[in-house]
mmCIF file of all heavy atoms in Angstrom:
data_model
loop_
_atom_site.group_PDB
_atom_site.id
_atom_site.type_symbol
_atom_site.label_atom_id
_atom_site.label_comp_id
_atom_site.label_asym_id
_atom_site.label_seq_id
_atom_site.Cartn_x
_atom_site.Cartn_y
_atom_site.Cartn_z
ATOM 1 N N GLN T 4 91.128 -156.736 191.125
ATOM 2 C CA GLN T 4 90.490 -156.060 192.335
ATOM 3 C C GLN T 4 90.748 -157.009 193.618
ATOM 4 O O GLN T 4 90.103 -156.713 194.622
ATOM 5 C CB GLN T 4 89.005 -155.811 192.114
ATOM 6 C CG GLN T 4 88.790 -154.723 190.961
ATOM 7 C CD GLN T 4 87.328 -154.329 190.829
ATOM 8 O OE1 GLN T 4 86.704 -153.771 191.808
ATOM 9 N NE2 GLN T 4 86.718 -154.603 189.751
ATOM 10 N N HIS T 5 91.591 -158.007 193.373
ATOM 11 C CA HIS T 5 91.814 -158.835 194.451
ATOM 12 C C HIS T 5 92.672 -157.997 195.607
ATOM 13 O O HIS T 5 93.589 -157.169 195.175
ATOM 14 C CB HIS T 5 92.738 -159.915 194.225
ATOM 15 C CG HIS T 5 92.073 -161.068 193.581
ATOM 16 N ND1 HIS T 5 91.087 -161.889 194.230
ATOM 17 C CD2 HIS T 5 92.104 -161.574 192.310
ATOM 18 C CE1 HIS T 5 90.691 -162.788 193.460
ATOM 19 N NE2 HIS T 5 91.194 -162.648 192.185
ATOM 20 N N HIS T 6 92.337 -158.060 196.846
ATOM 21 C CA HIS T 6 93.080 -157.286 197.867
ATOM 22 C C HIS T 6 94.324 -158.061 198.247
ATOM 23 O O HIS T 6 95.225 -157.433 198.763
ATOM 24 C CB HIS T 6 92.248 -156.957 199.045
ATOM 25 C CG HIS T 6 91.023 -156.112 198.708
ATOM 26 N ND1 HIS T 6 91.215 -154.818 198.218
ATOM 27 C CD2 HIS T 6 89.781 -156.313 198.839
ATOM 28 C CE1 HIS T 6 90.039 -154.291 198.013
ATOM 29 N NE2 HIS T 6 89.020 -155.229 198.332
ATOM 30 N N ASP T 7 94.299 -159.333 198.095
ATOM 31 C CA ASP T 7 95.588 -160.167 198.330
ATOM 32 C C ASP T 7 96.554 -159.827 197.273
ATOM 33 O O ASP T 7 96.379 -160.062 196.092
ATOM 34 C CB ASP T 7 95.186 -161.599 198.397
ATOM 35 C CG ASP T 7 96.393 -162.530 198.577
ATOM 36 O OD1 ASP T 7 97.093 -162.501 199.636
ATOM 37 O OD2 ASP T 7 96.719 -163.168 197.552
ATOM 38 N N ALA T 8 97.857 -159.447 197.700
ATOM 39 C CA ALA T 8 98.812 -159.131 196.757
ATOM 40 C C ALA T 8 99.185 -160.274 195.867
ATOM 41 O O ALA T 8 99.403 -160.012 194.538
ATOM 42 C CB ALA T 8 100.161 -158.721 197.543
ATOM 43 N N ASP T 9 99.302 -161.615 196.300
ATOM 44 C CA ASP T 9 99.643 -162.695 195.436
ATOM 45 C C ASP T 9 98.624 -162.968 194.341
ATOM 46 O O ASP T 9 98.942 -163.130 193.205
ATOM 47 C CB ASP T 9 100.016 -163.910 196.266
ATOM 48 C CG ASP T 9 100.701 -164.900 195.637
ATOM 49 O OD1 ASP T 9 101.835 -164.642 195.296
ATOM 50 O OD2 ASP T 9 100.247 -166.004 195.374
ATOM 51 N N SER T 10 97.243 -162.863 194.756
ATOM 52 C CA SER T 10 96.256 -163.139 193.847
ATOM 53 C C SER T 10 96.251 -161.977 192.799
ATOM 54 O O SER T 10 95.970 -162.268 191.664
ATOM 55 C CB SER T 10 94.863 -163.235 194.680
ATOM 56 O OG SER T 10 94.890 -164.357 195.555
ATOM 57 N N ALA T 11 96.414 -160.841 193.326
ATOM 58 C CA ALA T 11 96.333 -159.653 192.374
ATOM 59 C C ALA T 11 97.459 -159.681 191.301
ATOM 60 O O ALA T 11 97.264 -159.415 190.123
ATOM 61 C CB ALA T 11 96.397 -158.319 193.087
ATOM 62 N N ALA T 12 98.597 -159.996 191.759
ATOM 63 C CA ALA T 12 99.765 -160.133 190.879
ATOM 64 C C ALA T 12 99.532 -161.227 189.739
ATOM 65 O O ALA T 12 99.827 -161.021 188.694
ATOM 66 C CB ALA T 12 101.103 -160.455 191.540
ATOM 67 N N GLN T 13 99.022 -162.343 190.295
ATOM 68 C CA GLN T 13 98.720 -163.469 189.364
ATOM 69 C C GLN T 13 97.774 -163.076 188.298
ATOM 70 O O GLN T 13 97.887 -163.320 187.179
ATOM 71 C CB GLN T 13 98.241 -164.606 190.177
ATOM 72 C CG GLN T 13 97.907 -165.911 189.297
ATOM 73 C CD GLN T 13 99.114 -166.488 188.632
ATOM 74 O OE1 GLN T 13 100.259 -166.394 189.067
ATOM 75 N NE2 GLN T 13 98.991 -167.089 187.350
ATOM 76 N N GLU T 14 96.729 -162.426 188.775
ATOM 77 C CA GLU T 14 95.600 -162.126 187.768
ATOM 78 C C GLU T 14 96.114 -161.107 186.778
ATOM 79 O O GLU T 14 95.822 -161.160 185.475
ATOM 80 C CB GLU T 14 94.362 -161.458 188.495
ATOM 81 C CG GLU T 14 93.204 -161.114 187.587
ATOM 82 C CD GLU T 14 91.934 -160.864 188.316
ATOM 83 O OE1 GLU T 14 92.032 -160.480 189.543
ATOM 84 O OE2 GLU T 14 90.846 -160.752 187.624
ATOM 85 N N LEU T 15 96.955 -160.127 187.238
ATOM 86 C CA LEU T 15 97.506 -159.203 186.300
ATOM 87 C C LEU T 15 98.491 -159.781 185.341
ATOM 88 O O LEU T 15 98.388 -159.520 184.112
ATOM 89 C CB LEU T 15 98.286 -157.923 187.087
ATOM 90 C CG LEU T 15 98.784 -156.922 186.242
ATOM 91 C CD1 LEU T 15 97.597 -156.055 185.659
ATOM 92 C CD2 LEU T 15 99.698 -155.932 186.998
ATOM 93 N N PHE T 16 99.284 -160.664 185.786
ATOM 94 C CA PHE T 16 100.198 -161.364 184.970
ATOM 95 C C PHE T 16 99.531 -162.158 183.805
ATOM 96 O O PHE T 16 99.845 -162.143 182.678
ATOM 97 C CB PHE T 16 101.202 -162.317 185.767
ATOM 98 C CG PHE T 16 102.015 -163.129 185.022
ATOM 99 C CD1 PHE T 16 103.142 -162.528 184.236
ATOM 100 C CD2 PHE T 16 101.800 -164.463 184.647
ATOM 101 C CE1 PHE T 16 103.910 -163.301 183.480
ATOM 102 C CE2 PHE T 16 102.601 -165.201 183.901
ATOM 103 C CZ PHE T 16 103.676 -164.662 183.270
ATOM 104 N N GLU T 17 98.535 -162.793 184.255
ATOM 105 C CA GLU T 17 97.737 -163.621 183.227
ATOM 106 C C GLU T 17 97.115 -162.671 182.192
ATOM 107 O O GLU T 17 96.878 -163.175 180.960
ATOM 108 C CB GLU T 17 96.611 -164.297 183.792
ATOM 109 C CG GLU T 17 97.124 -165.595 184.805
ATOM 110 C CD GLU T 17 96.042 -166.214 185.645
ATOM 111 O OE1 GLU T 17 94.901 -165.745 185.543
ATOM 112 O OE2 GLU T 17 96.410 -167.194 186.268
ATOM 113 N N ALA T 18 96.736 -161.498 182.603
ATOM 114 C CA ALA T 18 96.171 -160.545 181.553
ATOM 115 C C ALA T 18 97.128 -159.881 180.651
ATOM 116 O O ALA T 18 96.832 -159.667 179.495
ATOM 117 C CB ALA T 18 95.428 -159.471 182.366
ATOM 118 N N LEU T 19 98.355 -159.703 181.190
ATOM 119 C CA LEU T 19 99.419 -158.987 180.466
ATOM 120 C C LEU T 19 100.433 -159.851 179.714
ATOM 121 O O LEU T 19 101.047 -159.379 178.717
ATOM 122 C CB LEU T 19 100.219 -157.983 181.360
ATOM 123 C CG LEU T 19 99.446 -157.045 182.160
ATOM 124 C CD1 LEU T 19 100.416 -155.918 182.863
ATOM 125 C CD2 LEU T 19 98.276 -156.283 181.360
ATOM 126 N N ASP T 20 100.429 -161.079 180.121
ATOM 127 C CA ASP T 20 101.488 -162.032 179.611
ATOM 128 C C ASP T 20 101.324 -162.200 178.001
ATOM 129 O O ASP T 20 100.243 -162.490 177.598
ATOM 130 C CB ASP T 20 101.470 -163.310 180.212
ATOM 131 C CG ASP T 20 102.727 -164.216 179.857
ATOM 132 O OD1 ASP T 20 103.786 -163.637 179.477
ATOM 133 O OD2 ASP T 20 102.520 -165.470 179.807
ATOM 134 N N GLN T 21 102.344 -162.093 177.289
ATOM 135 C CA GLN T 21 102.436 -162.314 175.836
ATOM 136 C C GLN T 21 103.928 -162.360 175.430
ATOM 137 O O GLN T 21 104.737 -161.928 176.070
ATOM 138 C CB GLN T 21 101.710 -161.106 175.038
ATOM 139 C CG GLN T 21 102.254 -159.747 175.277
ATOM 140 C CD GLN T 21 101.590 -158.715 174.493
ATOM 141 O OE1 GLN T 21 101.187 -158.962 173.288
ATOM 142 N NE2 GLN T 21 101.406 -157.513 175.024
ATOM 143 N N PRO T 22 104.125 -162.981 174.155
ATOM 144 C CA PRO T 22 105.529 -163.076 173.728
ATOM 145 C C PRO T 22 106.024 -161.742 173.483
ATOM 146 O O PRO T 22 105.393 -160.687 173.055
ATOM 147 C CB PRO T 22 105.315 -163.905 172.566
ATOM 148 C CG PRO T 22 103.958 -164.587 172.589
ATOM 149 C CD PRO T 22 103.150 -163.676 173.326
ATOM 150 N N ASN T 23 107.348 -161.591 173.613
ATOM 151 C CA ASN T 23 108.143 -160.480 173.117
ATOM 152 C C ASN T 23 107.729 -159.151 173.841
ATOM 153 O O ASN T 23 107.805 -158.092 173.246
ATOM 154 C CB ASN T 23 108.066 -160.341 171.661
ATOM 155 C CG ASN T 23 109.175 -159.571 171.060
ATOM 156 O OD1 ASN T 23 110.368 -159.683 171.537
ATOM 157 N ND2 ASN T 23 109.033 -158.760 169.977
ATOM 158 N N ILE T 24 107.332 -159.142 175.092
ATOM 159 C CA ILE T 24 107.027 -157.873 175.725
ATOM 160 C C ILE T 24 108.344 -156.978 175.857
ATOM 161 O O ILE T 24 109.329 -157.479 176.409
ATOM 162 C CB ILE T 24 106.510 -158.217 177.330
ATOM 163 C CG1 ILE T 24 105.158 -158.800 177.234
ATOM 164 C CG2 ILE T 24 106.370 -156.771 178.027
ATOM 165 C CD1 ILE T 24 104.739 -159.328 178.405
ATOM 166 N N LYS T 25 108.169 -155.772 175.502
ATOM 167 C CA LYS T 25 109.334 -154.777 175.492
ATOM 168 C C LYS T 25 109.071 -153.825 176.803
ATOM 169 O O LYS T 25 110.123 -153.330 177.310
ATOM 170 C CB LYS T 25 109.346 -153.966 174.266
ATOM 171 C CG LYS T 25 109.778 -154.782 173.143
ATOM 172 C CD LYS T 25 111.060 -155.497 173.207
ATOM 173 C CE LYS T 25 111.332 -156.401 171.983
ATOM 174 N NZ LYS T 25 111.789 -155.698 170.768
ATOM 175 N N LEU T 26 107.910 -153.689 177.209
ATOM 176 C CA LEU T 26 107.600 -152.860 178.398
ATOM 177 C C LEU T 26 106.351 -153.111 179.024
ATOM 178 O O LEU T 26 105.358 -153.333 178.244
ATOM 179 C CB LEU T 26 107.682 -151.308 178.047
ATOM 180 C CG LEU T 26 107.562 -150.467 179.309
ATOM 181 C CD1 LEU T 26 108.773 -150.581 180.286
ATOM 182 C CD2 LEU T 26 107.496 -148.965 178.872
ATOM 183 N N ALA T 27 106.300 -153.452 180.372
ATOM 184 C CA ALA T 27 105.089 -153.594 180.933
ATOM 185 C C ALA T 27 104.957 -152.469 182.115
ATOM 186 O O ALA T 27 105.950 -152.280 182.753
ATOM 187 C CB ALA T 27 104.936 -155.026 181.580
ATOM 188 N N VAL T 28 103.894 -151.988 182.335
ATOM 189 C CA VAL T 28 103.606 -150.827 183.337
ATOM 190 C C VAL T 28 102.423 -151.162 184.134
ATOM 191 O O VAL T 28 101.440 -151.602 183.554
ATOM 192 C CB VAL T 28 103.394 -149.499 182.602
ATOM 193 C CG1 VAL T 28 103.173 -148.339 183.607
ATOM 194 C CG2 VAL T 28 104.613 -149.259 181.613
ATOM 195 N N PHE T 29 102.447 -151.007 185.424
ATOM 196 C CA PHE T 29 101.271 -151.178 186.334
ATOM 197 C C PHE T 29 101.128 -149.922 187.175
ATOM 198 O O PHE T 29 102.032 -149.121 187.518
ATOM 199 C CB PHE T 29 101.355 -152.422 187.112
ATOM 200 C CG PHE T 29 102.426 -152.323 188.253
ATOM 201 C CD1 PHE T 29 102.008 -151.862 189.528
ATOM 202 C CD2 PHE T 29 103.629 -152.822 188.091
ATOM 203 C CE1 PHE T 29 102.907 -151.712 190.629
ATOM 204 C CE2 PHE T 29 104.619 -152.719 189.162
ATOM 205 C CZ PHE T 29 104.204 -152.109 190.331
ATOM 206 N N TYR T 30 99.948 -149.739 187.622
ATOM 207 C CA TYR T 30 99.546 -148.648 188.683
ATOM 208 C C TYR T 30 98.768 -149.545 189.779
ATOM 209 O O TYR T 30 97.803 -150.295 189.517
ATOM 210 C CB TYR T 30 98.661 -147.592 188.032
ATOM 211 C CG TYR T 30 99.322 -146.994 186.790
ATOM 212 C CD1 TYR T 30 98.922 -147.495 185.499
ATOM 213 C CD2 TYR T 30 100.204 -145.969 186.922
ATOM 214 C CE1 TYR T 30 99.596 -146.897 184.403
ATOM 215 C CE2 TYR T 30 100.762 -145.453 185.781
ATOM 216 C CZ TYR T 30 100.476 -145.821 184.483
ATOM 217 O OH TYR T 30 101.148 -145.296 183.430
ATOM 218 N N CYS T 31 99.091 -149.143 191.002
ATOM 219 C CA CYS T 31 98.483 -149.841 192.074
ATOM 220 C C CYS T 31 98.058 -148.919 193.179
ATOM 221 O O CYS T 31 98.591 -147.909 193.458
ATOM 222 C CB CYS T 31 99.440 -150.942 192.666
ATOM 223 S SG CYS T 31 100.786 -150.253 193.590
ATOM 224 N N SER T 32 97.028 -149.360 193.963
ATOM 225 C CA SER T 32 96.620 -148.679 195.149
ATOM 226 C C SER T 32 97.674 -148.781 196.258
ATOM 227 O O SER T 32 98.227 -149.834 196.330
ATOM 228 C CB SER T 32 95.312 -149.241 195.624
ATOM 229 O OG SER T 32 94.997 -148.880 196.908
ATOM 230 N N PRO T 33 97.890 -147.782 196.967
ATOM 231 C CA PRO T 33 98.879 -147.784 198.123
ATOM 232 C C PRO T 33 98.313 -148.651 199.247
ATOM 233 O O PRO T 33 99.129 -148.891 200.206
ATOM 234 C CB PRO T 33 99.170 -146.408 198.492
ATOM 235 C CG PRO T 33 97.867 -145.668 198.056
ATOM 236 C CD PRO T 33 97.414 -146.315 196.801
ATOM 237 N N SER T 34 97.094 -149.052 199.185
ATOM 238 C CA SER T 34 96.470 -149.947 200.217
ATOM 239 C C SER T 34 97.121 -151.310 200.249
ATOM 240 O O SER T 34 96.860 -152.127 201.188
ATOM 241 C CB SER T 34 94.932 -149.914 200.104
ATOM 242 O OG SER T 34 94.562 -150.562 198.886
ATOM 243 N N TYR T 35 97.781 -151.737 199.100
ATOM 244 C CA TYR T 35 98.350 -153.072 199.150
ATOM 245 C C TYR T 35 99.556 -153.212 200.096
ATOM 246 O O TYR T 35 100.185 -152.152 200.419
ATOM 247 C CB TYR T 35 98.813 -153.403 197.659
ATOM 248 C CG TYR T 35 97.761 -153.816 196.721
ATOM 249 C CD1 TYR T 35 97.225 -152.991 195.695
ATOM 250 C CD2 TYR T 35 97.257 -155.130 196.684
ATOM 251 C CE1 TYR T 35 96.329 -153.341 194.810
ATOM 252 C CE2 TYR T 35 96.305 -155.546 195.771
ATOM 253 C CZ TYR T 35 95.858 -154.625 194.807
ATOM 254 O OH TYR T 35 94.834 -155.027 193.984
ATOM 255 N N ASP T 36 99.756 -154.360 200.449
ATOM 256 C CA ASP T 36 101.050 -154.693 201.188
ATOM 257 C C ASP T 36 102.180 -154.562 200.112
ATOM 258 O O ASP T 36 102.342 -155.532 199.349
ATOM 259 C CB ASP T 36 100.889 -156.196 201.823
ATOM 260 C CG ASP T 36 102.293 -156.527 202.492
ATOM 261 O OD1 ASP T 36 103.351 -155.921 202.211
ATOM 262 O OD2 ASP T 36 102.234 -157.325 203.395
ATOM 263 N N LEU T 37 102.804 -153.417 200.056
ATOM 264 C CA LEU T 37 103.708 -153.187 198.810
ATOM 265 C C LEU T 37 104.825 -154.152 198.805
ATOM 266 O O LEU T 37 105.234 -154.630 197.751
ATOM 267 C CB LEU T 37 104.145 -151.719 198.851
ATOM 268 C CG LEU T 37 102.992 -150.599 198.632
ATOM 269 C CD1 LEU T 37 103.587 -149.290 198.656
ATOM 270 C CD2 LEU T 37 102.192 -150.986 197.316
ATOM 271 N N PRO T 38 105.593 -154.539 199.915
ATOM 272 C CA PRO T 38 106.692 -155.410 199.814
ATOM 273 C C PRO T 38 106.194 -156.717 199.308
ATOM 274 O O PRO T 38 106.831 -157.378 198.537
ATOM 275 C CB PRO T 38 107.204 -155.486 201.210
ATOM 276 C CG PRO T 38 106.840 -154.178 201.858
ATOM 277 C CD PRO T 38 105.534 -153.865 201.321
ATOM 278 N N ALA T 39 104.986 -157.219 199.743
ATOM 279 C CA ALA T 39 104.391 -158.510 199.300
ATOM 280 C C ALA T 39 104.036 -158.347 197.765
ATOM 281 O O ALA T 39 104.225 -159.395 197.053
ATOM 282 C CB ALA T 39 103.227 -158.819 200.113
ATOM 283 N N LEU T 40 103.400 -157.261 197.365
ATOM 284 C CA LEU T 40 103.133 -157.207 195.991
ATOM 285 C C LEU T 40 104.433 -157.059 195.154
ATOM 286 O O LEU T 40 104.365 -157.640 194.092
ATOM 287 C CB LEU T 40 102.354 -155.820 195.823
ATOM 288 C CG LEU T 40 101.927 -155.437 194.436
ATOM 289 C CD1 LEU T 40 100.947 -156.611 193.940
ATOM 290 C CD2 LEU T 40 101.098 -154.078 194.314
ATOM 291 N N ALA T 41 105.435 -156.375 195.575
ATOM 292 C CA ALA T 41 106.656 -156.324 194.871
ATOM 293 C C ALA T 41 107.241 -157.758 194.634
ATOM 294 O O ALA T 41 107.635 -158.096 193.459
ATOM 295 C CB ALA T 41 107.706 -155.430 195.502
ATOM 296 N N ALA T 42 107.206 -158.552 195.690
ATOM 297 C CA ALA T 42 107.724 -159.866 195.616
ATOM 298 C C ALA T 42 106.927 -160.736 194.676
ATOM 299 O O ALA T 42 107.478 -161.521 193.775
ATOM 300 C CB ALA T 42 107.734 -160.471 196.849
ATOM 301 N N ALA T 43 105.538 -160.580 194.738
ATOM 302 C CA ALA T 43 104.693 -161.382 193.898
ATOM 303 C C ALA T 43 104.785 -160.981 192.392
ATOM 304 O O ALA T 43 104.883 -161.839 191.465
ATOM 305 C CB ALA T 43 103.204 -161.194 194.384
ATOM 306 N N LEU T 44 104.950 -159.797 192.117
ATOM 307 C CA LEU T 44 105.127 -159.231 190.711
ATOM 308 C C LEU T 44 106.416 -159.701 190.169
ATOM 309 O O LEU T 44 106.583 -160.159 188.965
ATOM 310 C CB LEU T 44 105.006 -157.791 190.622
ATOM 311 C CG LEU T 44 103.586 -157.202 190.835
ATOM 312 C CD1 LEU T 44 103.609 -155.681 191.019
ATOM 313 C CD2 LEU T 44 102.703 -157.592 189.785
ATOM 314 N N HIS T 45 107.566 -159.608 191.029
ATOM 315 C CA HIS T 45 108.787 -160.019 190.495
ATOM 316 C C HIS T 45 108.864 -161.445 190.300
ATOM 317 O O HIS T 45 109.491 -161.836 189.226
ATOM 318 C CB HIS T 45 109.796 -159.675 191.637
ATOM 319 C CG HIS T 45 111.274 -159.805 191.145
ATOM 320 N ND1 HIS T 45 111.862 -159.190 190.092
ATOM 321 C CD2 HIS T 45 112.254 -160.655 191.699
ATOM 322 C CE1 HIS T 45 113.080 -159.601 189.976
ATOM 323 N NE2 HIS T 45 113.418 -160.502 191.019
ATOM 324 N N ALA T 46 108.191 -162.218 191.042
ATOM 325 C CA ALA T 46 108.143 -163.762 190.843
ATOM 326 C C ALA T 46 107.610 -164.072 189.467
ATOM 327 O O ALA T 46 107.910 -165.053 188.794
ATOM 328 C CB ALA T 46 107.486 -164.313 191.940
ATOM 329 N N ARG T 47 106.492 -163.314 189.069
ATOM 330 C CA ARG T 47 105.719 -163.680 187.883
ATOM 331 C C ARG T 47 106.329 -163.017 186.647
ATOM 332 O O ARG T 47 106.264 -163.677 185.524
ATOM 333 C CB ARG T 47 104.322 -163.338 188.128
ATOM 334 C CG ARG T 47 103.637 -164.241 189.162
ATOM 335 C CD ARG T 47 102.400 -163.709 189.610
ATOM 336 N NE ARG T 47 101.606 -164.739 190.443
ATOM 337 C CZ ARG T 47 101.989 -164.940 191.816
ATOM 338 N NH1 ARG T 47 103.070 -164.249 192.357
ATOM 339 N NH2 ARG T 47 101.410 -165.821 192.499
ATOM 340 N N PHE T 48 106.800 -161.854 186.774
ATOM 341 C CA PHE T 48 107.325 -161.108 185.608
ATOM 342 C C PHE T 48 108.767 -161.181 185.416
ATOM 343 O O PHE T 48 109.305 -160.374 184.810
ATOM 344 C CB PHE T 48 106.911 -159.665 185.695
ATOM 345 C CG PHE T 48 105.509 -159.308 185.395
ATOM 346 C CD1 PHE T 48 104.466 -159.416 186.567
ATOM 347 C CD2 PHE T 48 105.002 -158.913 184.231
ATOM 348 C CE1 PHE T 48 103.176 -159.192 186.333
ATOM 349 C CE2 PHE T 48 103.670 -158.619 183.986
ATOM 350 C CZ PHE T 48 102.739 -158.793 185.029
#
């Protein structure tokens, strides 16, 4: 529920990270700064 894109991406990654992931899916509010969220998710995943 972090509104900051970088903090939200980090928290989601920590929750979803596991060995041998074949598919990860997320749903996000459009209120996020989407380019910033995309960059933050891409950096972590």
Side-chain angles (χ1 to χ4, degrees):
Q4 297 187 63
H5 282 293
H6 296 299
D7 172 69
D9 199 63
S10 299
Q13 179 64 30
E14 186 171 14
L15 185 69
F16 174 72
E17 291 174 356
L19 303 191
D20 189 31
Q21 60 177 321
N23 202 33
I24 294 176
K25 294 303 176 69
L26 181 66
V28 181
F29 74 86
Y30 305 94
C31 70
S32 166
S34 63
Y35 281 103
D36 179 335
L37 294 182
L40 182 62
L44 289 169
H45 185 59
R47 287 162 176 80
F48 286 84

